[in-house]
Structures are given as C-alpha cells and as structure tokens.
Amino acid sequence: MPKLTSSELEALLMKNGARLTENRALVYSTLAKADAALSLNDIELLLEDIDKSTIFRSLQLFQEVGALHRIDDGTGIYKYALSKQDGQDINATHAHFFCLKCERTYCIEGIAFPMKLILPDGYTSQSINLVIRGVCANCRKIK
C-alpha cells in the first residue's frame, strides 16, 4: 500500500483536527514497515515503550482519517494495514488473504469482485470484506 510521507500524514491529521505526535508517528511507521497487516498486540510487541491504549487510540484516529483500514480476517482479532489515499472505500477495492500456516493477513490488490452487488430494496451496503484463506507464497516455499 502507498505510504504517506511524514508531512502528508501531518497534513491529513491537521485537516481532521489532530496532531502528529511522536507516538503516532512511530505507530504509523511500524505499519509502513510491515509486509503484512498487524494486530494491536503485534504493534505493542514492536513498540515496547508505548502503552497499548496509546497505540489503540492512534489506530482509531488513523482509521477515522483514512490513513489505515481495519481488517476482519475471521480470526476474531482485527488487523490493521495502510490505506490508499484516493477517497475510495479501501475494502471495496481489494481483497485480503489469510495464510492458514503462518496466520498472517495480507492486502491483495488487483482482485476484482466477481459480481455487481445487487441488494434487495431497502438495503444499503457500507463495505465489502473479501478474505481468501489459503497458504501464502512464503509458506509454500518452506514446505
């Protein structure tokens, strides 16, 4: 996923009435360096000097301003990954892949949803969550 520069992230937060603190910058950069989506606990282990509530509040703020998206991969633990900054609903534009071996969740670009969603009268969709379950490329190499 495209990563915002520090000044772009700061501008996005300021536009939404928030500041880019040192802790928020560390949470964002941790997500930016990750090759898979991370849970709150994953981030907490990587950022030992920042308490869990600060990390959680940072994740909530980044989600509210569109800098990241939360993934429900079916494990019961939300994962977080950076979002595109094109104003589209991130989950409507790509799928997620959950590896059954390493239990990591990846954003997968370029998978078009196979159908146009037609809901009954009176229903309005807000998001679509496509999670593909299988074995990732890294785990397939290991055998």
Side-chain angles (χ1 to χ4, degrees):
M1 287 287 157
K3 299 166 184 77
L4 298 173
T5 65
S6 180
S7 59
E8 290 171 330
L9 180 60
E10 185 171 24
L12 179 63
L13 291 174
M14 285 181 66
K15 182 175 126 181
N16 288 278
R19 293 182 312 112
L20 179 61
T21 63
E22 184 178 336
N23 285 343
R24 289 175 182 162
L26 286 170
V27 170
Y28 187 86
S29 68
T30 300
L31 285 163
K33 292 174 190 171
D35 63 346
L38 299 175
S39 69
L40 173 61
N41 288 336
D42 294 334
I43 298 168
E44 184 182 24
L45 290 172
L46 293 168
L47 298 175
E48 296 173 348
D49 295 336
I50 302 176
D51 66 276
K52 190 177 219 165
S53 62
T54 298
I55 295 169
F56 180 74
R57 287 191 307 271
S58 297
L59 294 172
Q60 279 187 308
L61 174 62
F62 292 150
Q63 185 179 356
E64 288 170 13
V65 302
L68 65 78
H69 63 287
R70 185 174 75 174
I71 304 161
D72 180 355
D73 61 9
T75 62
I77 300 171
Y78 287 119
K79 308 293 184 340
Y80 300 88
L82 299 184
S83 294
K84 289 183 176 181
Q85 292 300 306
D86 57 8
Q88 295 181 5
D89 177 359
I90 191 73
N91 289 325
T93 60
H94 76 273
H96 296 101
F97 187 93
F98 177 76
C99 180
L100 297 168
K101 285 194 174 186
C102 66
E103 299 184 350
R104 296 177 81 189
T105 301
Y106 301 90
C107 294
I108 306 291
E109 294 288 337
I111 294 180
F113 286 91
M115 69 196 131
K116 182 176 179 178
L117 185 63
I118 300 172
L119 295 171
D121 287 341
Y123 291 83
T124 305
S125 68
Q126 293 185 350
S127 68
I128 299 171
N129 186 23
L130 175 62
V131 178
I132 303 161
R133 299 171 77 77
V135 179
C136 71
N138 290 332
C139 289
R140 283 187 59 105
K141 291 177 192 175
I142 296 172
K143 291 189 181 188

